Amino acid sequence: MRAPFITFEGPEGGGKTTQVALLERALLDRDIRCQVTREPGGTELANSLRKVLLSVATHGMGAKAELLLMLAARADHVQRLIRPGLDEGTTVICDRFVDSTVAYQGAGRGLDMGLIGKLNHFATSGLVPDLTLLLDVPVEVGLKRAARTSRPDRFEGQALDFHQRLREAFRQLAEREPERIKILDARQPEEETARQVLEQVDKLLRERG
Ligand SMILES: Nc1ncnc2c1ncn2[C@@H]1O[C@H](COP(=O)(O)OP(=O)(O)OP(=O)(O)O)[C@@H](O)[C@H]1O
Ligand SMILES: [Mg+2]
């Protein structure tokens, strides 16, 4: 059986990057081999596409181009990093994955959800995370947090209602797939969120034996 595949999702500033790092440390402390990665990104090609996708210089990018670039990055990432890692027994922890495409390009940009589902499936060759931690945070809180560390990227710079639609989409996904997607309240202190993340990961590891 391949190693566990764990993803973090949610609106901007929920603390995904923070929690990914804390989970990595917790797993390494237990001598569990793991690899942290993020989307868009993770391979040379995907990192180049990340720059294009996040840069404010491409602010006029059309929604279809945005979707296809995201998926090109994902296809390369899955084929060349995630899948081989899982197959050799490395637990992979990924900061954003397929659910972000449903939220951003589906709910955010208004592209067809059915099509996004099919394209996600194509890009991942059907790879689905074993566990997804949704770090849910009110939009204003998350954006304020994100703004503390960096200038807004092309997505963070979108209007508030765009971010509101994303948050709603993530919550709907969690309602539809409660077995895979666990909602955590990311307003709480990061140590408490980390504790709840580990609780979910432990449950997953126990179920997998
Ligand atoms: N539970 C928390 N309470 C308060 N601040 C937090 C919490 N978790 C993270 N932060 C802070 O919020 C900011 C954003 O956190 P982080 O970069 O981990 O979020 P993110 O979800 O990865 O954001 P982005 O979507 O922009 O990548 C950082 O300054 C971080 O230190
Ligand atoms: Mg982040």
Side-chain angles (χ1 to χ4, degrees):
M1 188 165 67
R2 66 166 175 78
F5 179 35
I6 300 166
T7 60
F8 283 78
E9 298 277 7
E12 310 287 343
K16 296 177 296 299
T17 306
T18 305
Q19 293 299 328
V20 161
L22 292 174
L23 177 60
E24 178 186 33
R25 200 179 325 146
L27 293 183
L28 288 175
D29 279 347
R30 300 183 191 177
D31 292 324
I32 294 176
R33 186 154 34 112
C34 57
Q35 159 123 45
V36 163
T37 187
R38 68 174 178 185
E39 289 214 338
T43 63
E44 227 168 278
L45 170 64
N47 283 328
S48 303
L49 292 174
R50 179 186 181 90
K51 287 197 191 107
V52 172
L53 280 160
L54 298 192
S55 167
V56 288
T58 60
H59 68 269
M61 185 188 299
K64 291 182 182 180
E66 181 181 288
L67 172 66
L68 293 170
L69 290 175
M70 284 287 182
L71 290 161
R74 176 161 307 133
D76 198 55
H77 191 204
V78 169
Q79 187 187 339
R80 298 175 61 211
L81 187 120
I82 299 178
R83 190 79 229 191
L86 294 173
D87 287 343
E88 64 163 43
T90 304
T91 297
V92 176
I93 307 169
C94 193
D95 189 333
R96 294 198 182 283
F97 196 58
V98 286
D99 302 304
S100 279
T101 306
V102 175
Y104 281 74
Q105 282 73 48
R109 303 297 191 203
L111 292 175
D112 184 83
M113 291 288 190
L115 177 66
I116 288 177
K118 283 190 197 130
L119 291 173
N120 261 338
H121 190 271
F122 177 67
T124 59
S125 303
L127 176 68
V128 178
D130 301 295
L131 173 65
T132 297
L133 288 318
L134 171 53
L135 302 185
D136 181 49
V137 70
V139 163
E140 301 80 2
V141 176
L143 287 173
K144 224 177 264 171
R145 279 190 197 168
R148 283 210 304 261
T149 47
S150 59
R151 279 167 173 243
D153 64 32
R154 198 171 58 85
F155 290 104
E156 287 164 348
Q158 296 292 314
L160 221 53
D161 74 298
F162 176 86
H163 293 285
Q164 206 60 61
R165 290 200 300 278
L166 301 184
R167 183 186 182 202
E168 224 20 75
F170 279 124
R171 290 158 65 102
Q172 277 175 19
L173 279 166
E175 256 171 51
R176 225 173 297 151
E177 291 186 66
E179 282 300 307
R180 171 174 71 90
I181 308 178
K182 308 297 178 190
I183 301 192
L184 304 182
D185 181 351
R187 280 173 306 185
Q188 57 197 353
E190 63 184 52
E191 307 78 51
E192 177 54 24
T193 305
R195 196 190 62 72
Q196 293 175 3
V197 166
L198 211 51
E199 195 174 84
Q200 293 296 338
V201 171
D202 278 334
K203 195 164 144 250
L204 172 72
L205 296 179
R206 272 199 309 276
E207 281 164 10
R208 292 170 61 97

